[in-house]
């Protein structure tokens, strides 16, 4: 039998964290997963899937994720039931997560929460371009050094190599 679930989506709210009486950390969250198609009005629809994770992974989810975080989960589908306070039987289906992958850097999540995503993105992009320019300059300097050391760097014709010249 195969019971495997792989999802990518965004948290609909901050994770709920608790510790059981036996000391096991538990984090629950709802993942909004977009459907591949649109409805008749051209709007994207999403499924809202309940997820649960335990122990160290639950602590990480609680400490590092918040509403809107993009994550990937890998786990299994599980159904359970309980009686609520009114005595009614409630059935729950949820994903028990074996692995939760954080798909955005922490600073991107903070930027979304602060509403400064575009400004910081532009700053990061500019910093990356500046770093690339510096690296290009270093590479050019390295190439100039290599060309001075390499006797074949400016060769314009074929190079005559004998079998005795090869190291293998």
């Amino acid at each position: 039998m195969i019971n495997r679930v792989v999802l990518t989506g965004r948290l609909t709210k901050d994770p709920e964290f608790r510790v059981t009486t036996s000391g096991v950390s538990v984090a629950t969250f709802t993942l909004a997963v977009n459907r591949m198609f649109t409805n008749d009005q051209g709007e994207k629809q999403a499924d809202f899937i309940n997820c649960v994770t335990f122990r160290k992974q639950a602590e990480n989810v609680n400490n590092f994720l918040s509403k809107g975080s993009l994550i990937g989960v890998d786990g299994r589908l599980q159904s359970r039931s309980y009686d609520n306070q009114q005595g009614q039987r409630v059935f729950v289906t949820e994903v028990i997560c074996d692995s939760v992958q954080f798909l955005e850097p922490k600073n991107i999540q903070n930027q979304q929460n602060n509403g400064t995503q575009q400004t910081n993105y532009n700053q990061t992009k500019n910093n990356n371009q500046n770093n690339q320019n510096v690296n290009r300059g270093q590479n050019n300097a390295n190439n100039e050094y290599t060309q001075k050391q390499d006797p074949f760097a400016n060769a314009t014709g074929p190079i005559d190599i004998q079998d005795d010249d090869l190291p293998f």
Side-chain angles (χ1 to χ4, degrees):
M1 303 297 162
I2 297 174
N3 182 357
R4 205 82 219 136
V5 176
V6 179
L7 302 169
T8 301
R10 294 193 180 272
L11 269 62
T12 60
K13 60 182 178 179
D14 290 347
E16 295 178 17
F17 181 78
R18 64 184 174 86
V19 179
T20 65
T21 55
S22 59
V24 177
S25 301
V26 180
T28 58
F29 53 92
T30 302
L31 198 60
V33 179
N34 286 337
R35 294 183 180 172
M36 297 299 291
F37 53 87
T38 58
N39 63 14
D40 293 336
Q41 291 77 32
E43 300 168 342
K44 280 247 184 205
Q45 292 183 324
D47 293 304
F48 299 92
I49 301 170
N50 295 325
C51 301
V52 180
T53 189
F54 298 94
R55 297 178 183 77
K56 185 64 176 175
Q57 189 72 63
E59 294 173 16
N60 288 338
V61 164
N62 183 54
N63 292 332
F64 299 109
L65 296 179
S66 59
K67 178 180 178 179
S69 298
L70 180 65
I71 64 169
V73 299
D74 178 22
R76 59 188 166 83
L77 203 57
Q78 180 174 299
S79 297
R80 61 184 173 89
S81 63
Y82 63 93
D83 294 326
N84 66 10
Q85 294 176 347
Q86 292 78 25
Q88 298 171 328
R89 192 81 159 161
V90 177
F91 293 91
V92 178
T93 302
E94 54 201 0
V95 175
I96 306 301
C97 301
D98 296 328
S99 172
V100 177
Q101 301 294 317
F102 303 172
L103 300 179
E104 292 178 314
K106 189 172 183 344
N107 60 355
I108 294 292
Q109 293 170 16
N110 290 341
Q111 292 167 10
Q112 288 174 341
N113 293 339
N114 295 334
T116 59
Q117 179 180 5
Q118 189 61 41
T119 302
N120 289 337
Y121 170 77
N122 288 337
Q123 290 171 350
T124 303
K125 185 177 176 182
N126 289 338
N127 288 341
N128 288 342
Q129 288 173 344
N130 290 340
N131 290 340
Q132 288 174 353
N133 289 338
V134 168
N135 289 339
R136 284 187 191 117
Q138 291 172 347
N139 287 341
N140 288 341
N142 290 339
N143 288 342
E144 290 172 11
Y145 174 77
T146 303
Q147 287 176 356
K148 291 178 186 174
Q149 300 297 323
D150 185 5
F152 302 109
N154 294 323
T156 57
I159 301 172
D160 185 28
I161 298 177
Q162 304 297 320
D163 288 339
D164 296 340
D165 296 334
L166 299 175
F168 47 89

